[in-house]
Amino acid sequence: MAGFIAHLDADAFYVSAERVRHADLANKPVGVLGNNGACVIAKSYEMKAKGVKTGTPIWDAAKMCPEGVYVKRDFYWYEVLSRKMLGIVGTFSPKLEYYSIDEFFFHAEPLRHGQQLATTATTIRDHILEATGLPVTIGIARTRTLAKLFSDTGKPFGAVAVLTRDHERELLAKMPVTEISGIGGKRADRLAPYGIRTCLDLADADGRLVKRLLTKTGHEIWMELNGEPVMPIRPERPPHQVLGRGGSLMGNVEDPKVLWAWCVRHVERLIEELRYHNVRTTTLAVEVGWKDQGWTGGTSNSPTPTDRIDELLDLARASLRRAYVTGRTATHMQVKATELRRGKGFQLSLFDKPDPKKDKLATVKAAINEKYGRFKVRTATTLYLPAVYRDPANEYDICDVRGKVCF
């Protein structure tokens, strides 16, 4: 049974996460709304049956499904449950990839000697439901592309193990080629003149033709469809080239102090991300979007890689000064870290002195926020932003979801 890959995908994850803490939402049509409540970003199967789609404006959704329950999204809560799932799956498999907030790939092994992989998939699925309250679907196949395709056929709350070529071909013949992640409308149009419309058509096509039409990535998909695993499970993702935080300033900002407060806030969020990915930066850029007047930016460099807030704030201050334009009204801001280095294995300069007091202060601050909630302790400069932190629902504007967002 060696050499099989499993794909786990949570069913209607955002809705399921809301049902974990609000049991009365079970079996009801539920829609999860975006930042300003303007559109549905996730929906239950009951609401989907009414014709509501991801991106449907709330006023249209309410007409299509007037009996629906519409709730504000809480990305922080979703990531808590995602990490809980990740920990559980990690106890079942020695090799695990966090693909997105609601999707994991892992090496599939029978839980007991002689057990069928279909039984293993069912056991893991049922345990996750019992431990977290989240329904998931698991597909097991020879490659990750096949595992993802076949898990989709089992939704919702399915457990599918496709272990033979005959079974693979039977299912692939029923699936349009656009079901494959990475093959959208344009790529499908490129394949159609050659009679390639289903996943099986693609698997049976000449590999040289596929490579010419879809380049190296498409050829790898073709190999995976034919049972040759060329896309490995990645317990650690390749290091990022750039990490950033930013967005709308929630209105018009003219006061330089308020603009600096936003910059500090984004630096705090950025540091959280740097530490999550175990990287440090030597370059910090600040870009400001001005009302009807485009963007300006500034960049500053550090002699050594850092993720310390005092050092990054010094860089941010210099960068913001270069980006700032007197008399203009700011509406957006981005803070970006480039020139990323892994958090170990780099040489300090001769003039760098360790600062145990500041390092200890940062550690204490991180520990408090880890226990009591993100940004419960934050830099005092951000006190100029009461509207951002006053939201009683779920601190919506400081919820960052890592990785691809899936509905």
Side-chain angles (χ1 to χ4, degrees), residues 79-220:
E79 188 160 342
V80 167
L81 289 181
S82 175
R83 293 291 158 184
K84 189 172 183 179
M85 276 198 300
L86 182 69
I88 292 171
V89 178
T91 66
F92 288 101
S93 176
K95 198 169 185 180
L96 169 64
E97 176 181 339
Y98 183 90
Y99 183 66
S100 74
I101 191 170
D102 65 345
E103 287 185 271
F104 312 133
F105 287 99
F106 58 96
H107 178 66
E109 294 181 347
L111 299 181
R112 292 187 297 276
H113 179 70
Q115 186 182 71
Q116 298 295 315
L117 282 177
T119 304
T120 294
T122 301
T123 301
I124 297 174
R125 179 201 67 183
D126 293 348
H127 181 72
I128 290 174
L129 179 65
E130 181 181 357
T132 69
L134 295 168
V136 304
T137 296
I138 297 176
I140 297 177
R142 292 192 293 164
T143 70
R144 59 186 290 153
T145 298
L146 291 173
K148 182 171 172 59
L149 281 171
F150 298 149
S151 69
D152 288 343
T153 69
K155 280 184 165 291
F157 200 58
V160 181
V162 181
L163 310 180
T164 67
R165 186 56 179 163
D166 288 343
H167 195 183
E168 289 172 2
R169 292 179 65 82
E170 176 189 345
L171 294 177
L172 292 175
K174 301 174 183 178
M175 307 173 75
V177 73
T178 49
E179 289 292 311
I180 301 172
S181 178
I183 298 185
K186 289 184 178 180
R187 283 189 159 188
D189 291 343
R190 214 176 297 162
L191 296 170
Y194 298 89
I196 302 174
R197 293 181 172 82
T198 70
C199 294
L200 184 59
D201 291 336
L202 182 59
D204 286 343
D206 186 282
R208 292 167 296 181
L209 172 65
V210 173
K211 190 171 185 178
R212 178 164 61 85
L213 295 174
L214 303 182
T215 69
K216 180 177 180 289
T217 302
H219 188 257
E220 288 180 346

Side-chain angles (χ1 to χ4, degrees), residues 110-339:
L111 299 181
R112 292 187 297 276
H113 179 70
Q115 186 182 71
Q116 298 295 315
L117 282 177
T119 304
T120 294
T122 301
T123 301
I124 297 174
R125 179 201 67 183
D126 293 348
H127 181 72
I128 290 174
L129 179 65
E130 181 181 357
T132 69
L134 295 168
V136 304
T137 296
I138 297 176
I140 297 177
R142 292 192 293 164
T143 70
R144 59 186 290 153
T145 298
L146 291 173
K148 182 171 172 59
L149 281 171
F150 298 149
S151 69
D152 288 343
T153 69
K155 280 184 165 291
F157 200 58
V160 181
V162 181
L163 310 180
T164 67
R165 186 56 179 163
D166 288 343
H167 195 183
E168 289 172 2
R169 292 179 65 82
E170 176 189 345
L171 294 177
L172 292 175
K174 301 174 183 178
M175 307 173 75
V177 73
T178 49
E179 289 292 311
I180 301 172
S181 178
I183 298 185
K186 289 184 178 180
R187 283 189 159 188
D189 291 343
R190 214 176 297 162
L191 296 170
Y194 298 89
I196 302 174
R197 293 181 172 82
T198 70
C199 294
L200 184 59
D201 291 336
L202 182 59
D204 286 343
D206 186 282
R208 292 167 296 181
L209 172 65
V210 173
K211 190 171 185 178
R212 178 164 61 85
L213 295 174
L214 303 182
T215 69
K216 180 177 180 289
T217 302
H219 188 257
E220 288 180 346
I221 292 173
W222 173 82
M223 295 175 70
E224 291 252 326
L225 289 177
N226 282 289
E228 187 171 346
V230 295
M231 301 178 187
I233 295 174
R234 298 182 178 88
E236 288 189 7
R237 290 191 172 187
H240 291 261
Q241 295 182 336
V242 177
L243 289 174
R245 282 291 176 259
S248 168
L249 302 183
M250 295 176 62
N252 298 328
V253 175
E254 298 177 352
D255 188 339
K257 294 192 298 293
V258 176
L259 195 62
W260 172 237
W262 274 103
C263 188
V264 173
R265 176 176 177 275
H266 291 325
V267 169
E268 285 189 319
R269 295 169 64 207
L270 180 60
I271 289 172
E272 182 186 56
E273 200 66 7
L274 290 170
R275 291 178 178 171
Y276 173 80
H277 291 283
N278 190 32
V279 292
R280 300 181 184 183
T281 184
T282 57
T283 305
L284 195 74
V286 177
E287 299 174 356
V288 181
W290 305 97
K291 188 175 183 180
D292 303 323
Q293 292 179 302
W295 288 74
T296 58
T299 301
S300 299
N301 299 308
S302 169
T304 56
T306 182
D307 63 1
R308 238 174 55 180
I309 188 157
D310 57 313
E311 295 174 343
L312 288 177
L313 286 182
D314 287 341
L315 298 181
R317 185 179 290 106
S319 297
L320 181 59
R321 283 173 178 163
R322 294 185 177 102
Y324 183 70
V325 181
T326 304
R328 287 191 184 179
T329 300
T331 58
H332 294 78
M333 178 182 289
Q334 296 285 341
V335 176
K336 299 177 181 179
T338 60
E339 302 296 330

Side-chain angles (χ1 to χ4, degrees), residues 17-29:
E18 293 296 341
R19 285 171 170 170
V20 168
R21 59 181 178 182
H22 301 297
D24 57 309
L25 295 177
N27 302 316
K28 294 179 181 177

